[in-house]
Amino acid sequence: MTFGDTWAAGYVVGAAFEIPEAHVLATITYNSAINYDFDTSGAYGGTTDVETPQSVNVHIQAPISLSTLLFATVRWADWSEHTINPPGYPLGSLVHFNDTTTYRLGVVQMFSEQWAGFTSLTYEPSTDVSAEGPLDATDGLWGATLGAIYTKDRVKITTAISYHQFGDASGSSENLQTTI
């Protein structure tokens, strides 16, 4: 299959609460689902309906000392509503994901006025549900990130390296044979 180019609009709504003198910040952001219609050619030609998931992000940061900041993020995504539906495709959608909640906990350490370092751990629990489509590739994850931040006047440069281990989704070979 080949998908044509398209675009669609969604919206983001958020709120934040900050105590600047205490370096405390809490935010919440909602991202709407977005629906696309792709012109499709190939095995399943026509118009393919795609819906990307809505999501909610919550972020909190607070100092634990004068030079150390603790942060936490929770992200929920409504992946069970994510679809890629080519016309005539025998299984309905190419993907059958489950909703996910991803947790991240990290620390930022200031070394000087210009330099800071950070590290974080990421965890997303496995849903333990078998994959049903040919694109269902992972189930759960854990990861670690290590980075540095350089700040000079109005310029901020952030570099990081991350390692993520994705859980395997166990799909049915019967489903895969049907799609090929």
Side-chain angles (χ1 to χ4, degrees):
M1 285 185 292
T2 302
F3 297 101
D5 293 335
T6 192
W7 69 276
Y11 61 91
V12 176
V13 177
F17 174 77
E18 182 177 22
I19 305 172
E21 58 278 359
H23 302 287
V24 172
L25 174 67
T27 64
I28 185 167
T29 309
Y30 170 78
N31 301 283
S32 71
I34 302 174
N35 294 300
Y36 300 87
D37 291 322
F38 289 92
D39 290 331
T40 308
S41 60
Y44 301 104
T47 301
T48 299
D49 299 320
V50 175
E51 180 180 324
T52 58
Q54 65 180 336
S55 65
V56 177
N57 301 300
V58 176
H59 176 81
I60 299 170
Q61 69 181 39
I64 54 177
S65 75
L66 291 175
S67 62
T68 307
L69 185 71
L70 181 69
F71 65 91
T73 303
V74 177
R75 181 178 193 277
W76 169 80
D78 191 16
W79 284 105
S80 61
E81 296 299 317
H82 173 56
T83 58
I84 302 175
N85 294 322
Y89 181 67
L91 298 177
S93 179
L94 287 171
V95 294
H96 299 89
F97 298 134
N98 295 298
D99 295 349
T100 60
T101 303
T102 306
Y103 304 92
R104 179 170 289 129
L105 181 64
V107 177
V108 178
Q109 177 67 50
M110 295 294 300
F111 299 116
S112 68
E113 289 287 321
Q114 287 84 30
W115 285 99
F118 64 93
T119 187
S120 67
L121 297 174
T122 304
Y123 174 70
E124 182 179 293
S126 170
T127 58
D128 292 325
V129 175
S130 295
E132 297 177 24
L135 301 181
D136 301 346
T138 66
D139 185 25
L141 72 87
W142 70 267
T145 300
L146 183 63
I149 304 167
Y150 175 77
T151 306
K152 177 80 171 167
D153 300 323
R154 304 189 104 200
V155 175
K156 181 185 273 190
I157 300 171
T158 302
T159 60
I161 187 166
S162 293
Y163 174 81
H164 287 99
Q165 179 67 47
F166 295 93
D168 291 333
S170 56
S172 165
S173 60
E174 182 178 298
N175 289 344
L176 295 177
Q177 290 171 0
T178 303
T179 62
I180 295 176

